[in-house]
Amino acid sequence: MSKRPTEASAPPPRYRQVADALRAAIDDGRLADNEALPSERELTEQHQVSRDTIRKAVRLLEDHGLVYSDHGRGTFVAPALVRRMSRYIDGFSEDTRQRGGLPTQRILNLEFSPATMAIAQLLQLESGHPLTRVRRVRLTNGVPVGLHDAYFPLPPGVKLELQEVERARSLYQLLMERAGFAPVEAVENLFAASADAEEARLLGVPEGAPLLVCERITLSDRREPIEYCLMKYVSSYRYSARITQSSRLA
Amino acid sequence: MSKRPTEASAPPPRYRQVADALRAAIDDGRLADNEALPSERELTEQHQVSRDTIRKAVRLLEDHGLVYSDHGRGTFVAPALVRRMSRYIDGFSEDTRQRGGLPTQRILNLEFSPATMAIAQLLQLESGHPLTRVRRVRLTNGVPVGLHDAYFPLPPGVKLELQEVERARSLYQLLMERAGFAPVEAVENLFAASADAEEARLLGVPEGAPLLVCERITLSDRREPIEYCLMKYVSSYRYSARITQSSRLA
DNA sequence: GAGTGGTCTAGACCACGTC
DNA sequence: ACGTGGTCTAGACCACTCT
């Protein structure tokens, strides 16, 4: 038992509630781009919480690029250009929806194969360790935009069936339920490459067409690599990022 | 007067000092990958500051991907794979050095031209507004890896000379001194494209070779766009990113 | 149960920007 | 001078993990 697996559970902390309230005010336009938020001391009274709690809420919004604070001036709503930028794990479906597209997928292939030296090293396994490999075409509004090629180990005794992968709305969600897959962080490398014959055929582009390649290593809560994924996107696909000052540690 | 423009200035806040001390311990190996840091209460005694200050230090390191905290377990050193990932403004010189390369540049062209509609819109200026444009080749260890094409308005009366641009160690630094240029944030869009004849010649690749294109809009502290930069990289160039769970606001 | 990080408070003072 | 965000404290209690 211990904790309910579904529904209800605990209420979010106060600072999250405050953050949600502010986000709602931004989303529905009660606070315009670059408009100042109420001061922290005002928010303290409005929400009847301590200033520190208010600051945590604001910091959360700031981390997500929704507001920015300037010492001595105030806290302001980030312009939409910045607010739209965000990139989180399992981005494709989310990203696509956010841009107003309908994300779908077509499973090409589900196979079980031993790890090559290269992949074994990345996943910190011995070469030859059994892996599951899923190849998919990602589509936006029915048009192919990317190829995903994912490799991951499954716990002993767990086997995926093609049917369930095809039925699942999200591969990650399926892996979470079936294998305790719990990604919390990932590192990515991006570069450009040319489409080979097969890639060209699957994506509906000429052979040699430029592709955006994104290699991803997904990490568990213990920061152990649990998946390697190679993604290739046609040139119309956009990968968005927001970068900030280092406010350097050194 | 008001504040000294050079040297000395104020000491960093306590939490920064603590963060620096911890970072140093990680950098020189006193704390290994995935090793637990001392608990927050221990750090409180070691550094003679309140727990909140310790938490701020740890949070800073966490934001930069150097450590990760797990509720009820402790705080741990992030594996090197994650620690190495970081992307901040004016990344090229810094990135390249960090990967052990020697970054240089060759200025192709410094010109003054009116904004096109497309660029005017991005920079929130009226079409035709006078802009400065700097085209450069970026090299790593003497080998061309990227083309940068930057557009930005200068304050009335300020003019850049080709000589000073060539002499400067960093374009951003020069713009900071000469024009009060103060970037604090940027948004980027990445995609793939093919090299045209001129790009191929400048980068030393065949025409049609795949390039990683990165469009960047740089923002001031007031979140006003102050620069548009179009960057194109050869396929050996790697753009690195670290992505995290959304810990979603909704 | 013991130890960890996570939330929260009520105050104080400092640094900065604006008028 | 005044209002803003930034730093800091000393305590309290909660939630989680491990054994």
Side-chain angles (χ1 to χ4, degrees), chain B:
Chain B
M1 283 268 152
S2 71
K3 90 176 167 189
R4 310 249 211 79
T6 55
E7 304 294 338
S9 68
R14 309 294 307 269
Y15 76 90
R16 270 286 275 283
Q17 299 177 29
V18 174
D20 286 348
L22 288 170
R23 188 187 53 72
I26 292 169
D27 282 351
D28 61 26
R30 297 202 302 281
L31 289 169
D33 282 19
N34 290 307
E35 183 177 340
L37 271 61
S39 78
E40 295 178 351
R41 284 148 179 103
E42 281 180 71
L43 289 171
T44 286
E45 294 189 358
Q46 287 177 24
H47 292 89
Q48 289 296 304
V49 295
S50 75
R51 190 175 156 216
D52 214 59
T53 298
I54 294 294
R55 281 183 62 73
K56 254 164 137 169
V58 172
R59 172 82 189 267
L60 184 63
L61 295 173
E62 197 170 11
D63 287 348
H64 288 247
L66 300 185
V67 306
Y68 59 97
S69 294
D70 267 11
H71 195 168
R73 290 209 311 133
T75 299
F76 307 87
V77 177
L81 175 72
V82 177
R83 288 210 311 278
R84 274 197 307 269
M85 294 287 174
S86 59
R87 183 154 210 95
Y88 298 115
I89 287 184
D90 205 347
F92 185 82
S93 302
E94 206 46 49
D95 270 24
T96 305
R97 253 185 291 269
Q98 206 164 336
R99 299 180 205 190
L102 176 70
T104 55
Q105 63 175 337
R106 188 160 58 85
I107 309 293
L108 291 174
N109 192 315
L110 169 65
E111 68 182 31
F112 311 91
S113 60
T116 62
M117 277 179 59
I119 292 182
Q121 174 136 348
L122 287 174
L123 295 181
Q124 294 174 18
L125 300 168
E126 64 289 13
S127 181
H129 188 104
L131 293 181
T132 304
R133 176 183 184 188
V134 180
R135 294 183 69 215
R136 307 181 273 173
V137 181
R138 294 289 215 166
L139 307 95
T140 296
N141 300 324
V143 179
V145 295
L147 293 173
H148 284 205
D149 193 359
Y151 300 79
F152 47 87
L154 285 177
V158 178
K159 280 255 183 291
L160 289 186
E161 297 299 333
L162 183 55
Q163 292 179 351
E164 57 182 339
V165 175
E166 281 177 332
R167 271 204 321 268
R169 69 173 53 234
S170 155
L171 177 59
Y172 281 13
Q173 178 126 18
L174 177 66
L175 288 175
M176 197 174 76
E177 291 162 6
R178 298 279 276 105
F181 189 80
V184 300
E185 193 171 23
V187 292
E188 296 184 341
N189 262 337
L190 287 87
F191 57 97
S194 293
D196 67 22
E198 189 194 17
E199 290 159 356
R201 181 173 55 78
L202 291 168
L203 291 171
V205 297
E207 190 171 341
L211 299 179
L212 177 66
V213 183
C214 177
E215 283 187 295
R216 169 188 288 191
I217 296 172
T218 308
L219 305 170
S220 72
D221 57 349
R222 307 288 172 103
R223 268 55 174 184
E224 291 158 340
I226 53 180
E227 181 208 31
Y228 169 74
C229 187
L230 185 61
M231 303 174 272
K232 304 190 179 185
Y233 294 100
V234 299
S235 69
S236 64
Y237 181 81
R238 292 295 182 273
Y239 179 102
S240 304
R242 179 173 72 98
I243 63 184
T244 55
Q245 265 186 147
S246 71
S247 67
R248 54 208 160 295
L249 297 175

